[in-house]
């Protein structure tokens, strides 16, 4: 049974996140709203997703990130059968990098 995450409280949280203007504001907000372990877990999952997309092995990912094989497997499931959220973000980050590179030339 899956819980519905689309609630007013979650809407408010996302509105707050979308109001952040830069990395420094993100650090300030997320240090207040998350424990250190929660934030490190989120960032670890994101790194795992990037490495999976780059075709790294579970062993390579576990050694580099310290993630368990269960975490790597869960992230892999999200990449393959999820809502394509990781792909959306990776695509936008890639586009941003392309724009920054062309502006610096």
């Amino acid at each position: 049974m899956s819980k519905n995450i689309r609630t007013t409280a979650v809407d408010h949280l996302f509105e707050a996140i979308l109001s952040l203007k830069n990395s420094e504001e993100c650090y300030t907000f997320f240090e207040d709203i998350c424990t250190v372990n929660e934030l490190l877990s989120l960032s670890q999952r994101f790194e795992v997703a990037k490495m999976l997309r780059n075709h790294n092995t579970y062993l390579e990912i576990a050694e580099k990130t310290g993630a368990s094989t269960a975490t790597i497997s869960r992230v892999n499931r999200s990449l393959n059968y999820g809502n394509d959220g990781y792909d959306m973000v990776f695509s936008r980050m890639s586009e941003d990098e392309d724009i920054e590179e062309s502006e610096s030339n």
Side-chain angles (χ1 to χ4, degrees):
M1 177 164 84
S2 173
K3 289 186 176 182
N4 181 10
I5 67 163
R6 293 181 183 266
T7 66
T8 302
V10 174
D11 286 345
H12 291 159
L13 173 63
F14 290 166
E15 288 170 19
I17 293 168
L18 289 169
S19 76
L20 301 171
K21 295 183 178 15
N22 55 43
S23 294
E24 195 55 43
E25 287 186 4
C26 287
Y27 274 102
T28 299
F29 179 72
F30 280 95
E31 284 179 20
D32 282 349
I33 200 165
C34 294
T35 65
V36 171
N37 285 339
E38 289 168 336
L39 193 51
L40 292 176
S41 291
L42 290 171
S43 64
Q44 181 187 64
R45 288 182 199 157
F46 192 71
E47 290 302 309
V48 166
K50 286 194 309 188
M51 292 182 76
L52 285 167
R53 274 290 172 244
N54 288 330
H55 307 291
N56 292 89
T57 67
Y58 275 35
L59 181 60
E60 291 169 330
I61 295 167
E63 287 176 353
K64 177 142 185 355
T65 67
S68 68
T69 55
T71 295
I72 298 167
S73 179
R74 184 190 181 289
V75 172
N76 196 41
R77 241 185 343 271
S78 292
L79 285 168
N80 292 316
Y81 305 108
N83 296 317
D84 297 326
Y86 282 114
D87 290 333
M88 176 180 58
V89 170
F90 292 149
S91 173
R92 289 183 184 165
M93 291 176 75
S94 176
E95 289 170 9
D96 289 346
E97 288 173 6
D98 291 344
I99 290 169
E100 288 174 11
E101 285 177 15
S102 68
E103 288 175 351
S104 67
N105 292 330

